Amino acid sequence: MHILIDIGNSTIAIAMTDNNGEITNVWRFKTLKDETVSFFRYELKAGIRKYEIETRDIDTITISSVVPEINDYIAQAIKDITGIVPHFFNLDDALQKIKLDIELPAALGKDRLADAVGAAVCHGVPAIIIDMGTATTIGVVNDDNTFIGGMIIPGVKTSLKALSKKASQLPMVNIEQPENMIGRNTLECMQSGVLYGNAAMVDGIIDRIRPTLKGDIHVIATGGMAKCIIPFCHNEVVIDECLQFKGLFHATHDV
């Protein structure tokens, strides 16, 4: 058994896989930057108990993190529970599977690196990758298996929270399809704007990037908001909820 951990800005997601990289279970808890080792130890133990994991069956633990300030706490909690020193996914791991042609490769987020590897290995290139989390990130891998860059955009919930906070007459709303696409009240207008606005943005970005790539282009979406937004897109987009975990596994276990 292998454990893969994605430390994101909003949540920490943990996946269990077999030796072939097949994901068997996933659990999540909030990313709390001010917590101590004991908090992470408690959350990890809760998942281990829930899924009846025997720590002696864990072969490796790999972590992708975009929140470096809690890395040491997570690593210590893991070592306390399992005795295993986790491996932190890095640029050299990714370069086993893809090439990079960007400025400052070391500054590229590990989540975007793992997404790119997962897309290239599991879906094919050229690829456009849309990760809809705290930020909506776009990654592009060309037909030469080279990550050439992308975009970083305020995320769906991030934008909605900012709008509600700054506009005193606009409330927070549930992100769901309104009865009318052309909203007939404030609630419908906001819901329509969130869903159709973000879907149109994704379509527009795909349409602008597509002419720059050669061959049959694969478009893959992942992240917590993908299931809400992508069904409203006109372009054909494959939703792969485990894309980042797949990238982590293939970059570190089948080199």
Side-chain angles (χ1 to χ4, degrees), residues 15-16 23 27 36-37 42 55 115 132 181 191 198 207 215 242:
M16 301 160 49
I23 296 169
W27 77 90
T36 62
V37 173
Y42 172 83
T55 56
D115 282 344
M132 308 191 79
M181 190 271 289
Q191 290 177 327
N198 278 280
D207 291 342
C242 295

Side-chain angles (χ1 to χ4, degrees), residues 13 17 48 52 69 72 76 79 84 125 132 141 156 166 169 181 184 188 196 202 234 254:
T17 78
I48 287 172
E52 299 179 343
E69 53 264 52
D72 289 343
Q76 186 60 56
K79 188 175 180 182
I84 296 172
V125 297
M132 308 191 79
V141 182
V156 178
K166 294 294 184 180
Q169 292 187 310
M181 190 271 289
R184 294 173 58 81
E188 285 188 347
Y196 298 110
V202 170
H234 294 310
D254 63 356

Side-chain angles (χ1 to χ4, degrees), residues 46-244:
I48 287 172
R49 285 195 301 269
K50 178 178 179 179
Y51 293 106
E52 299 179 343
I53 300 170
E54 295 289 344
T55 56
R56 64 175 178 272
D57 295 332
I58 302 173
D59 296 306
T60 62
I61 299 175
T62 304
I63 300 174
S64 168
S65 175
V66 296
V67 190
E69 53 264 52
I70 67 172
N71 286 355
D72 289 343
Y73 296 146
I74 288 278
Q76 186 60 56
I78 289 169
K79 188 175 180 182
D80 290 345
I81 296 168
T82 67
I84 296 172
V85 176
H87 171 72
F88 280 86
F89 172 69
N90 58 54
L91 182 61
D92 289 338
D93 295 329
L95 290 174
Q96 301 290 330
K97 294 296 180 183
I98 59 172
K99 295 175 282 187
L100 275 78
D101 184 12
I102 58 172
E103 296 180 9
L104 302 175
L108 182 64
K110 302 303 183 294
D111 52 347
R112 298 181 70 196
L113 267 179
D115 282 344
V117 173
V121 173
C122 300
H123 295 274
V125 297
I128 300 172
I129 306 119
I130 304 147
D131 192 333
M132 308 191 79
T134 303
T136 294
T137 64
I138 310 295
V140 181
V141 182
N142 68 14
D143 61 305
D144 190 38
N145 208 43
T146 301
F147 181 89
I148 58 174
M151 304 174 186
I152 300 175
I153 306 157
V156 178
K157 288 184 177 180
T158 303
S159 297
L160 180 58
K161 287 178 182 177
L163 179 63
S164 297
K165 183 177 180 180
K166 294 294 184 180
S168 59
Q169 292 187 310
L170 297 182
M172 277 297 296
V173 299
N174 292 326
I175 299 174
E176 57 188 38
Q177 186 177 12
E179 183 176 349
N180 299 292
M181 190 271 289
I182 300 175
R184 294 173 58 81
N185 54 56
T186 300
L187 174 63
E188 285 188 347
C189 286
M190 292 183 70
Q191 290 177 327
S192 184
V194 170
L195 285 181
Y196 298 110
N198 278 280
M201 178 196 69
V202 170
D203 277 327
I205 288 170
I206 293 169
D207 291 342
R208 287 170 181 261
I209 293 175
R210 192 183 296 277
T212 71
L213 300 173
K214 299 176 183 178
D216 185 16
I217 299 168
H218 306 270
V219 185
I220 310 101
T222 191
M225 293 306 301
K227 287 196 298 184
C228 294
I229 303 300
I230 297 303
F232 296 95
C233 292
H234 294 310
N235 281 283
E236 182 177 345
V237 183
V238 173
I239 297 176
D240 187 341
E241 296 178 1
C242 295
L243 183 68
Q244 192 171 151

Side-chain angles (χ1 to χ4, degrees), residues 24 27 44 94:
T24 54
W27 77 90
L44 290 167

